[in-house]
Amino acid sequence: MNIETKLPKVGTTIFSVMSQLAVEHKAVNLGQGFPDFEPPEPLREALARAMAEGRNQYAPGIGTAPLREQIALKTVRLYGRTVNPDTEVTVTSGATEALFAAIAAVVRAGEEVIVFDPAYDSYEPAIELQGARTVHIPLVAPSFAVDWQRVREAITPKTRMILINSPHNPSGAVLSAADLDELAAIVRDTPIVVLSDEVYEHIVYDGAAHQSVLRHAELAARSIVVSSFGKTYHCTGWKVGYAVAPAALSAEFRKVHQYLTFCTFHPAQAAFAEFLASTPEHYLELPAFYQAKRDSFRALLAPSRLKLLDVQGGYFQLVDYSAIRDEDDVAFCEWLVKEGGVAAIPLTPFYETALDTRLVRLCFAKSDATMQAAAEHLCSL
Ligand SMILES: Cc1ncc(COP(=O)(O)O)c(C=O)c1O
């Protein structure tokens, strides 16, 4: 049978490719974005207890009430926005599911979605599967700021959604309150929905406050905000995330979620509800926890020939390797994993039209021993 692919541009993701090469070549894996340390012990115990106590059948489709209440509490505590846990909060199987459900719920065939390159790789396939068009706007390197004038020029009557991501993967740039004002002015009096990927919401540095779209009344009224417990609680393999949106948008979102997964892993929902209630300091202390990692990683790399770009949030460090080799980023990452002992992620796969830069991404959500081992390799290049 001749299968005509619906996603001709999609192959195996660069994250899986590099993780596989890291195993093959016994390289230190700073590629894929996951911590190599464990989630908090009380959270793991709560998960085991939830299973032992029989929370093993379907959860309510929209998420358990205690977990949705904790998410609503966190939202008002951090961003000053009161949301209704019954009508505005939906628990999902990771942020990936929430992003897909949001796009599928809102975007129709022939419409356009604006994304900023370098863009997380799940966005475009989700848009294309709706028969819609992805409009790529490059962020301005090396600060990876948004050029709002370019956004204004890219708006057409077909623009249905603008997808933002702050703190940004892979650059570590964050949006400011002024950026959100610019965005609000652009979408005012249009039918454009904002999809805000905030999976690194608790990982912002140097005393800055995360500028969640939920802080911005005008934007919050037309936005779906997505986050991930995997990033916050060092358990990316549990795949639990959530979406917060006004009731009418949530209702549409839930129609898709209902038939995409129906519900999310029940024992983990019980564990997160318990841990969020007992230990809110975990997310409150996360900026300091990761800032210490960022700073020690940067100090370890200081003697290397890599040029380190600024990191304002998230757990990735972009480095310029042009003093070491003059080849494109994919070739450099292949060489680095095979000959240099470290797996990194090239930026090209995050772009529609790659910039001619010599930048790769390193993940510093790693133990001291892993960072040390990676730095020894990188400083010898
Ligand atoms: C920007 C961004 N969005 C979404 C996700 C996916 O999150 P989850 O693992 O909860 O599906 C990731 C994971 O790396 C990410 O970096």
Side-chain angles (χ1 to χ4, degrees):
M1 189 183 164
N2 189 18
I3 308 281
E4 197 184 326
T5 178
K6 290 180 75 180
L7 295 170
K9 286 189 256 169
V10 172
T12 309
T13 77
I14 189 68
F15 308 110
S16 310
V17 171
M18 289 314 298
S19 283
Q20 181 59 33
L21 283 172
V23 172
E24 266 170 43
H25 296 277
K26 297 191 172 49
V28 185
N29 191 356
L30 302 189
Q32 203 168 0
F34 61 86
D36 71 344
F37 40 86
E38 294 302 324
E41 201 173 333
L43 178 62
R44 282 182 282 151
E45 286 167 1
L47 178 68
R49 210 175 325 110
M51 287 193 271
E53 287 170 0
R55 307 276 180 84
N56 297 306
Q57 307 310 326
Y58 294 128
I62 59 175
T64 65
L67 183 54
R68 285 183 286 104
E69 275 156 24
Q70 285 303 319
I71 294 166
L73 259 178
K74 183 165 88 80
T75 301
V76 74
R77 179 180 294 162
L78 291 176
Y79 307 129
R81 179 145 315 281
T82 303
V83 293
N84 182 330
D86 294 331
T87 56
E88 299 182 305
V89 178
T90 310
V91 178
T92 61
S93 299
T96 308
E97 193 230 334
L99 290 162
F100 191 95
I103 292 165
V106 170
V107 179
R108 292 183 166 78
E111 293 183 333
E112 294 171 358
V113 179
I114 293 178
V115 306
F116 297 97
D117 285 0
Y120 186 64
D121 67 342
S122 82
Y123 303 158
E124 183 160 12
I127 296 162
E128 290 197 346
L129 285 173
Q130 316 315 318
R133 193 167 83 82
T134 314
V135 176
H136 296 263
I137 298 183
L139 295 170
V140 186
S143 66
F144 293 91
V146 178
D147 179 344
W148 292 110
Q149 186 50 34
R150 278 195 74 160
V151 179
R152 262 180 224 105
E153 288 161 11
I155 303 284
T156 75
K158 289 184 180 162
T159 310
R160 185 73 180 114
M161 180 179 268
I162 299 180
L163 209 167
I164 57 175
N165 168 218
S166 175
H168 181 244
N169 173 10
S171 75
V174 301
L175 293 175
S176 65
D179 285 317
L180 296 189
D181 286 342
E182 292 265 17
L183 177 59
I186 289 171
V187 296
R188 195 171 294 144
D189 304 322
T190 75
I192 297 172
V193 170
V194 173
L195 176 55
S196 185
D197 178 347
E198 303 187 11
V199 300
Y200 301 102
E201 63 178 321
H202 302 298
I203 312 179
V204 285
Y205 302 128
D206 307 316
H210 169 55
Q211 293 303 325
S212 174
V213 157
L214 291 164
R215 284 183 194 274
H216 197 288
E218 190 182 350
L219 282 178
R222 58 165 71 232
S223 298
I224 302 173
V225 176
V226 169
S227 192
S228 168
F229 288 123
K231 305 293 178 184
T232 303
Y233 294 101
H234 322 314
C235 51
T236 56
W238 296 10
K239 291 299 283 189
V240 182
Y242 60 89
V244 177
L249 261 179
S250 286
E252 293 309 307
F253 177 93
R254 288 172 175 185
K255 288 180 189 172
V256 178
H257 164 73
Q258 171 161 267
Y259 294 115
L260 198 51
T261 56
F262 178 64
C263 71
T264 296
F265 184 49
H266 196 165
Q269 295 194 55
F272 283 127
E274 187 181 318
F275 194 67
L276 269 135
S278 69
T279 321
E281 57 272 24
H282 175 89
Y283 62 76
L284 297 173
E285 289 165 5
L286 211 57
F289 173 82
Y290 272 117
Q291 186 163 324
K293 289 201 177 291
R294 177 197 69 170
D295 293 347
S296 71
F297 189 54
R298 289 173 70 90
L300 284 167
L301 293 186
S304 77
R305 291 196 290 156
L306 298 167
K307 186 167 160 249
L308 309 184
L309 272 62
D310 286 346
V311 183
Q312 298 172 308
Y315 49 46
F316 302 107
Q317 171 70 61
L318 288 190
V319 296
D320 181 324
Y321 58 86
S322 55
I324 298 170
R325 282 173 82 89
D326 184 27
E327 59 193 354
D328 70 46
D329 55 354
V330 174
F332 177 76
C333 285
E334 277 170 13
W335 173 82
L336 187 64
V337 73
K338 289 177 187 161
E339 312 286 335
V342 175
I345 296 290
L347 254 57
T348 302
F350 293 79
Y351 278 95
E352 180 187 42
T353 315
L355 298 183
D356 187 24
T357 52
R358 296 283 180 266
L359 296 174
V360 295
R361 189 193 85 173
L362 303 171
C363 175
F364 58 79
K366 302 294 170 190
S367 65
D368 290 347
T370 305
M371 287 196 277
Q372 184 83 42
E376 274 166 31
H377 287 294
L378 294 168
C379 289
S380 71
L381 300 176

